[in-house]
Amino acid sequence: MQFSDLANKDVLEKTTKALQEKKYEVHVVLNKEEALETIKKIIPEGASVMNGASVTLEQVGFVDYLKSEEHKWNNLHAAIVAETDPIKQRKLREQSSLSDFYLGSVHALVEDGQFIVASNTGSQLPHIVYNAQNLIFVVSTKKIVNSLDMAMKRLDEYIMPLEDKHMQEKYGVNTQLNKIVIFKGESSFSTRKIHFLLIEEDLGF
């Protein structure tokens, strides 16, 4: 298995079915343009929006669109960046975990619907694990693997070198694999809604 290969039709159908059985909303799109238009349709006017650092979100144009203020959402990330007081900024970050919508990607998606998200600081994990009422994961189908063991292998052997190089080029620092979430599903009484945008295009790591 090559970690940069897009999933074939059978694998994509199997993964889509597994996600739907977990009560997730699945949107299969051909490319980044369709992905951005789908995001715009999902998030209603007036919703508070927070996003994690994601090459995929940058590539689909979501980050630039959010900054453009052409939308009618409450951009929580902008308020955090604009705040210069460290204490107030930390408070805003904490409050942002209660956003109406949180957008990010995953590091590997298993065919049975499980997925993993890894982090250096863990700043995005409260949103994903519990706090955000709606999650939108924007995921290239190349991230689909056949087992949890292969998901961890993808993270360790494929993603980490690329992410480390990316962080050095962008910020001059290395990254670390400090925290990993294995997301198996939501509880039966959860009222959260989880969307997966599966993109049939090579995006992200």
Side-chain angles (χ1 to χ4, degrees), residues 32-49:
K32 57 189 176 184
E33 290 81 13
E34 285 189 24
L36 182 58
E37 290 307 309
T38 303
I39 292 170
K40 292 177 183 179
K41 292 176 183 176
I42 294 172
I43 306 176
E45 292 184 10
S48 60
V49 176

Side-chain angles (χ1 to χ4, degrees), residues 40-125:
K40 292 177 183 179
K41 292 176 183 176
I42 294 172
I43 306 176
E45 292 184 10
S48 60
V49 176
M50 184 63 183
N51 65 281
S54 167
V55 172
T56 304
L57 286 181
E58 292 174 3
Q59 291 175 331
V60 301
F62 173 78
V63 174
D64 286 339
Y65 181 70
L66 191 62
K67 290 178 180 178
S68 74
E69 298 185 356
E70 294 176 5
H71 52 80
K72 294 184 180 180
W73 306 327
N74 179 9
N75 180 2
L76 300 182
H77 193 269
I80 293 169
V81 173
E83 180 55 65
T84 57
D85 184 301
I87 296 176
K88 292 180 180 179
Q89 188 181 67
R90 179 179 177 81
K91 189 66 175 177
L92 287 173
R93 286 191 182 279
E94 292 173 354
Q95 293 171 346
S96 75
S97 74
L98 300 172
S99 61
D100 296 324
F101 284 82
Y102 176 82
L103 293 91
S105 192
V106 305
H107 291 104
L109 171 61
V110 186
E111 291 176 20
D112 64 5
Q114 298 183 85
F115 58 93
I116 61 171
V117 179
S119 178
N120 182 1
T121 66
S123 62
Q124 77 274 43
L125 299 184

